[in-house]
Amino acid sequence: MNLATLWRWRGALMATGVGVLAAILRLASLSQPHALVFDEVFYARGAFSLTELGYEGKWTGDDSLFATGDTSGLTAQGDFVVHPMVGKLLIALGIELFGNSPFGWRAVGAVLGSLLAVLIALAARRLFRSTLWGGVAGVLVAVDGEAIVLSRTALLDGFLAFFVGLGFWLLVVDRDRTRVRLETGAAEERTMLGLADDAPLPGIGPLTGIRWWRLGAILAFSLAGSVKWNGFYFAAVLLVLSVVWDAVARRELGATRWFTGTLASAFPAGLATVVIAPVVYVGTWANWFLTNGSYDRHWAESHPGEGVTWLPDALNSLIHYHQQMWVFHTGLTTPHNYMSNPWLWLVQWRPTAFYFEDVPDADCGAARCVSAIHALGNPLIWWLATAALAWALWRVIRRGDVLALSVSAGVLAGWLPWLPYAYRTIFTFYSVAFMPFMILTLVWAMRRVAQPDRLEGGWSRGGTIAVGCAVAAILVVSGFFIPLWVGTPIPFRYWQTHMWLPSWI
């Protein structure tokens, strides 16, 4: 294969490399630890009951027995669960494919977590018009601690991050394809009207037809919201971002009524969203509708005249169930050792310890060996990305920088909605849902340092060295923290060297 061929395939080679790196970090020793890690006690067991009963049954007895293969604690009584179905259905898929084992619970999440790194690499490649910067973004997702831990445990937030990342990538592809359509259409209209290439274009600009990629994004965001409700915040913000992209494109192409044209394009997308999202969401509850044992499945029949009585009993029961879920979420204030204030999530102030056990039989070269899993993002990634976010928001406010808005909007969509709920029992690892956008914002800043505007695409020697050193340091830190992300038995004193801040202990 010659250099010309390699250059032609550079995008595919970059994505493949990112995917392989991410898969190695997520799939290696995935069955360890052979125990329920943190909230796997809810989601892995709930997924298993879906495979056995068709709905989530209540469990009794010792929680730890499940990891040994003892499922005798499963009862036929429907369990009150407080999150939608999609994440648990995906965990159940892994159990069906690979058996009721730690690998089975975690396999689908690990695969989708690997694909997320690829999706972000491809999205970054389009945003920054650079395979190199796309590769940097993908590698940073691949080696981030939160991304690794949430891909390797059967929790819901990793699935949420995947569908949000998928939706964003689809929107970026839609943006680029729509831009090509608009440019082609604008050129044709100017030719037909006998206008110069740079002359204002009368009217709203060209029509773009059915935008299948944006419809795909709406579907992806609907699935995100069907994993956890906060997925719908991403849908609202990022779909509005796609409208902003349209407005900028029409204005730059010289359409005199660009605002009207943008609204005309946004209306069908908005209509599609209000139809597709509820249909997909309710559809993901199919197993709840089709089984009699599901929690509150027949509430309406046993409470005539209550609830939304004009709806069919099944939907009335589902709405009542969701009202209970909402009360649970907004009222959850039970103290927890690792609950954290969302104002401090960006700097990973209080990461969640998912697992910590002494391993007396391990040969780690010390008198005391431990296995630990901390949902801690790579500190350098998050600290540098927090600074980059401040810079990006300044650029948006002062300069109207659309690219800065494009990379940072997902952070705001995933982070700001949590701030009013700082009183609740919530955890730093929820930030994995907007982790890809933190990394995109960091790469945006790195690109501006290495390739400042004044050089018009050229490279600053000092800036390039600084960015190269930052990326190298990030990779070194990831290598240092890997044992705490995958649960490798290590000396207790070595674990202590990772506790950089008192709040991490």
Side-chain angles (χ1 to χ4, degrees):
M1 184 179 291
N2 57 36
L3 290 178
T5 302
L6 285 174
W7 180 255
R8 194 162 52 246
W9 286 88
R10 63 193 183 281
L13 292 171
M14 178 273 290
T16 301
V18 166
V20 169
L21 174 62
I24 290 172
L25 295 174
R26 285 152 180 77
L27 290 167
S29 303
L30 185 61
S31 60
Q32 299 302 321
H34 198 94
L36 290 167
V37 173
F38 200 64
D39 279 353
E40 285 186 337
V41 68
F42 303 115
Y43 305 125
R45 295 197 306 173
F48 175 78
S49 69
L50 287 173
T51 69
E52 295 294 301
L53 304 174
Y55 59 91
E56 292 181 74
K58 196 173 184 64
W59 290 80
T60 61
D62 187 347
D63 294 345
S64 64
L65 292 177
F66 181 76
T68 68
D70 184 347
T71 59
S72 60
L74 178 61
T75 72
Q77 179 184 353
D79 193 18
F80 174 54
V81 295
V82 294
H83 290 296
M85 290 289 173
V86 167
K88 289 162 284 186
L89 290 171
L90 290 169
I91 297 170
L93 173 62
I95 293 173
E96 288 282 11
L97 292 174
F98 303 108
N100 182 34
S101 65
F103 185 86
W105 317 329
R106 301 164 185 163
V108 173
V111 171
L112 295 185
S114 303
L115 291 176
L116 174 61
V118 176
L119 290 172
I120 297 306
L122 295 174
R125 183 174 186 253
R126 286 178 174 271
L127 287 170
F128 304 130
R129 298 287 187 263
S130 166
T131 301
L132 173 63
W133 293 115
V136 171
V139 167
L140 295 187
V141 174
V143 304
D144 179 67
E146 267 200 349
I148 292 170
V149 171
L150 272 299
S151 296
R152 293 176 58 91
T153 48
L155 272 66
L156 302 183
D157 301 83
F159 297 111
L160 171 61
F162 169 76
F163 285 115
V164 169
L166 174 61
F168 182 70
W169 171 71
L170 289 168
L171 284 182
V172 173
V173 175
D174 171 76
R175 181 202 69 162
D176 289 353
R177 289 175 175 259
T178 299
R179 180 70 185 230
V180 172
R181 287 187 189 180
L182 289 172
E183 289 175 349
T184 302
E188 291 174 351
E189 286 190 22
R190 284 191 172 93
T191 299
M192 188 170 55
L193 295 172
L195 299 174
D197 291 344
D198 57 351
L201 186 65
I204 64 174
L207 300 177
T208 54
I210 299 175
R211 294 169 62 169
W212 296 105
W213 292 90
R214 185 151 72 176
L215 288 174
I218 293 169
L219 175 59
F221 291 133
S222 300
L223 290 171
S226 301
V227 174
K228 293 184 81 170
W229 289 343
N230 52 313
F232 290 120
Y233 287 117
F234 288 99
V237 172
L238 297 179
L239 287 171
V240 168
L241 175 64
S242 76
V243 175
V244 172
W245 288 339
D246 280 2
V248 171
R250 288 179 180 275
R251 187 174 183 180
E252 288 180 349
L253 290 172
T256 56
R257 297 176 59 197
W258 59 269
F259 186 75
T260 304
T262 301
L263 293 180
S265 175
F267 178 77
L271 183 61
T273 302
V274 299
V275 171
I276 292 173
V279 168
V280 169
Y281 182 83
V282 174
T284 62
W285 286 80
N287 65 293
W288 185 88
F289 286 109
L290 296 173
T291 53
N292 289 319
S294 297
Y295 182 85
D296 259 3
R297 171 63 183 82
H298 296 288
W299 176 85
E301 291 96 314
S302 59
H303 294 78
E306 297 183 37
V308 189
T309 55
W310 56 270
L311 286 174
D313 285 345
L315 286 176
N316 189 8
S317 297
L318 184 65
I319 288 175
H320 178 260
Y321 186 3
H322 277 64
Q323 290 170 339
Q324 294 180 77
M325 293 163 66
W326 176 257
V327 170
F328 172 86
H329 285 302
T330 55
L332 181 61
T333 57
T334 307
H336 191 287
N337 284 342
Y338 289 98
M339 62 189 297
S340 60
N341 190 314
W343 286 97
L344 300 173
W345 286 359
L346 300 187
V347 293
Q348 299 288 291
W349 183 257
R350 182 60 173 164
T352 313
F354 275 14
Y355 183 82
F356 188 95
E357 294 289 340
D358 281 280
V359 191
D361 298 331
D363 182 15
C364 70
R368 184 184 179 189
C369 302
V370 299
S371 174
I373 298 176
H374 292 259
L376 166 68
N378 181 305
L380 285 187
I381 289 178
W382 285 81
W383 296 344
L384 291 173
T386 300
L389 177 65
W391 186 14
L393 294 179
W394 180 86
R395 291 278 307 181
V396 171
I397 295 169
R398 293 296 300 271
R399 303 290 180 87
D401 190 325
V402 176
L403 184 55
L405 175 65
S406 301
V407 296
S408 61
V411 177
L412 303 182
W415 177 49
L416 294 183
W418 287 106
L419 299 183
Y421 297 99
Y423 67 89
R424 272 196 49 198
T425 307
I426 51 180
F427 303 95
T428 299
F429 70 84
Y430 295 174
S431 60
V432 74
F434 60 82
M435 167 274 304
F437 301 97
M438 290 290 284
I439 287 173
L440 286 172
T441 304
L442 174 57
V443 175
W444 167 86
M446 288 179 169
R447 176 174 171 267
R448 290 193 63 83
V449 170
Q451 296 180 284
D453 289 345
R454 58 185 171 78
L455 296 182
E456 298 180 344
W459 292 78
S460 161
R461 186 171 183 273
T464 302
I465 292 172
V467 168
C469 290
V471 172
I474 286 169
L475 295 177
V476 169
V477 169
S478 284
F480 178 65
F481 275 92
I482 277 289
L484 271 67
W485 295 336
V486 302
T488 303
I490 55 175
F492 176 70
R493 289 192 178 278
Y494 185 61
W495 170 83
Q496 288 180 310
T497 65
H498 293 78
M499 298 297 103
W500 291 359
L501 300 177
S503 57
W504 290 4
I505 301 174

